[in-house]
Every structure is written in structure tokens, then in C-alpha cells.
Amino acid sequence: MSSLLNSIDFQYVIGALVKIVVFWLLIMMIVAYTVYAERRVLAVIQNRLGPNRVGWQGLLQPFADLIKFIFKEDIIPLSVNKWLYLIAPVVVLVPAMMVLIVYPFGPENVPMPFGAEISSAINWLGSAIGFDWNIKIDTIDLHVTNFNIGLLYVFALTSLGVYGIVIAGWSSNSKYSLLGGLRSSAQMISYELALSLSVIAVVIQAGTLDLVKIVDQQSGAWFGFIPKWNILGLFPAGLIAFIVYLVSAIAETNRVPFDLPEAETELVAGFHTEYSALKFALFFMAEYVNMMTVSVLATSLFLGGWNGPFVSDFKWLGPVYFLLKVFFFLFLYIWIRGTLPRFRYDQLMNFGWKILLPTAIFNIVLASIIGIIFL
Amino acid sequence: MEFTHVLFLAFAALAVVAAFNIILQRNPIYCAIGLIVVLCALAGLFLTLHAQFIAAIQIIVYAGAIMVLFVFVIMLLNVREEESKTDRQKILKVIAVPLFLALLAEVFVVIRLVNNSPPAIASAADNTNPAASLGSVESIATAMFTTYVLPFEATSVLILMAIVGAMLLARKNSKDDFERIEQALTLENDETEQAMQADAEKSKEEVAA
């Protein structure tokens, strides 16, 4: 057993776990304040005030909401399939959160503040309980891990998220939930195709599926002033890919104007009609984590991730640029929600299969041709 | 004991438990979920064998696409719990147990006879291992589009034929259907147009009055 605890793998796993916890807390805070921002921004768009009572300008509202969700009565309707009803929110949330291990928050080998002190403290702790650790954290990589199927991993997990929604819709034993679940799964399957095909224009430019490497090779500039982002590469294939990605990402996360699965005017609340208290909060959280994921992907695939001016001199600017770009996409989501009405269901399907998917396929051909000529 | 052994045991146990779940459950939806868990556990096993691409494709294609259709159909048709047709299936149960034991024995015999200790599972942090790059997207893509391009293309043509065949079977009476639908639509349109014209005239009259 001690050989297991002393092995490189074990130390690697512990380090990864610490990073996961830190990044997870960061993501949770962003999710909480995205909800708050959404309510405030929508209020501004609709000429209201929005939540501004709890704390300064309502900044403590997310915590108040969380406490409310925890203390509300947890109602399980009588006729539900209890086991499936209980696991559905978890099945939605867990794959959504598992994606965060490939988020490229920032560059590699970032100088760690107090790195020497922290590593010596850990080594001292190890020797105190009888292990011979030799850990050095002078520099850290601002991502949990990278592997050469990073992009496929993200798509695999987002495709698993649909089960939670289907199971929630079916196990609730209510017609609104079932309709919402069916709509949602049909929509997600349809738009997933366009989503994954649009990304190929980026993969052609990068030559890898590793998110960290994709971001790495977007550093620098063309002619000294145009940033070398994939959105501008293989022009116009990169731009078309970005537009297709953005539209299908909104549909994939079931947001306005593609929010048919939870269309409140026709389906009450769609697949989570019968859910209350913390289980509803889990669905809610999963939706925002998914928004975060597609924003992170859009940022790192098309907008250069953490790249920006002066990152090579001062590496901690990387995560700042990264988060600013992600916040831009989150804001875009809210903006679109405040602006556009909902699609009709047949319009949604026609748009997905007859416009978006052919565009994505055509774009692959275009990107390949331009890539062969210029790369 | 390496860390990858712990992972292997965990995924293997999960796969076996879920596989038994598929067989023993009566409710088809639980069986489908069991199958999804098996597929995900197998993907985990592929990962410990450095077959990253196959692991990802396993989840994307089988768990993410095919099983969604299974679950979709089961839920849409609202398949009830399988009724116990015990009389006919009792003999199957009797046969199943010795068959299962024979299969298990066969596996053990093969392991004993071959007696090759399995190659050491490479460490996850070890990048120098040549096996680590073998299952990557790049090496599989290179093999698929150069050495094995003919079988690959032949397979895709086969799949295309299967899709076209399925479409043909599903749209057997499509011509009649289309005619009927078109008729209904034109009828409806005419009626609504007439109704709208009538409304418009009415409102005109009201305005005039």
C-alpha cells in the first residue's frame, strides 16, 4: 500500500484533485453570479430593477437563493418512478461538471505565488506521516490535465447529459415533463451534429484535439497586429464555423430562443416541472455549468483562449483574459435571452437539419480546401 | 499495486455489476441504463489501456447516440415491465446456469493454458511508453486514411446503403401520404383564406356601419 501512496501516479492524482477542487469552486462562483447577472441584466433590458436587496446591489442574492433551495420542502410526487426520479438531476449535473478538467484556464508553467513555501510545507507534512515525498510547486499549469482527445472528451460528456433530461421527463410521470424531455433529447441530438462538425474547421487549423495545444498555437499574430485566432483563420471558414458553433451551442444548452424543452407558456417548466427544492437547483446549476462549458469551448477554440497582449511577460494575465472572454459569451447568452422570442418546434428542427447541418458540412469542405492550399 | 490496477478493478467491477443488472432487471428502462453504465465502464477500461480514441468514440457513438435512441423508444412507446412468461422460459433458465459456468471455466482454462502474464499496464504519467501514442487520434487516423483506406471507405459505403435501405422501407407509402397531406393542407388553406376574407368583409361592414 505504501508503494501505491509513494508512486508518481498517486502524487499526480492528488495534485489533480487539489486543482479540481479549486477550479470547481471558481466555476461554482461564476455560475452563481451568472444567475445573478442574468437577473440583473434582464431587468435592465426589461426596464425593471431586478434583485437588489440582499447585500450591496443584491450581490449576496445567490447565497440567499441557495439557502432558500436547501430549506424548501423537498416534494416527491406519489406516482413518480422514485429511483430514476432521484438520480436524474445527478445524471445531468455530473457529466456537466466532469468537463471542467480540460478547461484551459491559463498558460503552462505559471510562477506559483509562495510556491517554495507551500511545497516545503507539503513535504514536511508527508515526512511527518511517514512518506518520502519530493514535491515541487514552483510553477503550475493552469489546467487540471490535457490529453489528446480533449475535445472528444467534452463532446462525449455533453452527449451523456441528455440522459438526465430524458430520465427526468419520463420518471416524473407527467405529460408536460415527458414532452419536455422528448423535445430536449430530439433537439440535443439534432444540434449536437452541427456543433461537432463546426469544430472540425478548428481541428484542421490546430492539427490536434488537445484543448491546451489548440489554445497554445493561437498565440502570436498575423502581420504583427491581427491576432492569430482560429475564428480568423482559413478565412472565411473559421468565421462560418464560429457562427454555426455559437447557434448550435445555444440550442445544445436549451437556452432562448431554443428553450422549447422548458417553454413555460406551453409546458409549465418542461422536464423539471415536478422537481422542487434542491433537486430543481441541481438542474438549474447544470444548465449554467453547460453554458459555461460551451462558452469556454468557444473561447478556447475560436477566440484564442488565454492569449492576449503581454501574456508572455506576465503569465497571470492569461486566466484574466480567459475569464473575460468567457464572461463575454455568458453576457451574450443573457442578451439574446432578453432580445429574441422563442422558435416554433418545426422551425427549430428545420433550421437545425436543413440550414445549420448543411452549412457545417459545406464548411468542412471549404476549410479542407483552404487548408490544403494555405497550410 | 499500481494506481492503474485500482482503476482497472473499479471499472471492471462496475461493468460486471451493471451487466448483471441488464440481465436480471425486468423493467426495460433499467436494462437500458445498465447497458449505458457498462459502455461507460468499458470506455474507462479502454483509457487504462491507452486507447483514448476508442474510449471517446465508445461513449460518443454507443452511449451518446445509439443508447439515446433505445431510451427514447422505450420511453416513447412506454414499454411496460416484461410479463413473466415463466412456463416457456423455465427450461432456458435451467440451461443458462451450466452454460454460464462452462463459459467461466473456459475463460479460466484459457488463462491457465496460455499462462502469459499480461504486459505491465503503463503508468498514466509515463509519456515515454510507445504504447501510449498508439491509441491516439493521430495514429488511428493515419492508419485509417492511408493503410486501411479501402476497407474504411467500403464500410462507410455499406453503412450509407443501410441508411438508404432503412429510409426506403420507412417511406413505403410516402407518395400516398404526401398527396393526402397536400390535399388536406390546400383544403385548410382555402378554408382559412375564405374565413379570413369573410372576416375582413365583416369588419369592413362594421366600420362602414
Side-chain angles (χ1 to χ4, degrees), chain B residues 147-168:
Chain B
T147 323
Y148 302 104
V149 67
L150 196 64
F152 174 69
E153 291 297 335
T155 319
S156 49
V157 169
L158 203 64
I159 292 172
L160 185 68
M161 272 153 61
I163 295 171
V164 172
M167 296 267 294
L168 201 69

Side-chain angles (χ1 to χ4, degrees), chain A residues 3-4 8-10 13 81 83-84 148-149 152 155-156 159-160 162-163 166-167 170 182 185-186 189 207-209, chain B residues 1-3 29-30 33 36 40 52-53 56 59-60 63-64 67-68 71-72 75-76 78 123-125 136-138:
Chain A
S3 70
L4 175 70
I8 296 287
D9 284 354
F10 183 71
V13 168
N81 184 329
W83 193 74
L84 290 179
N148 67 19
I149 52 158
L152 291 179
F155 287 136
S159 68
L160 285 185
V162 69
Y163 285 117
V166 181
I167 291 172
W170 183 77
L182 290 178
S185 45
I189 294 171
T208 174
L209 292 170
Chain B
M1 194 147 130
E2 290 280 331
F3 194 76
I29 199 79
Y30 289 133
I33 290 170
I36 296 163
C40 292
Q52 304 99 323
F53 181 68
I59 291 187
I60 292 175
M67 287 312 295
V68 169
V71 174
F72 202 84
M75 287 181 171
L76 204 61
N78 215 355
S123 151
S136 70
V137 185
E138 288 88 345

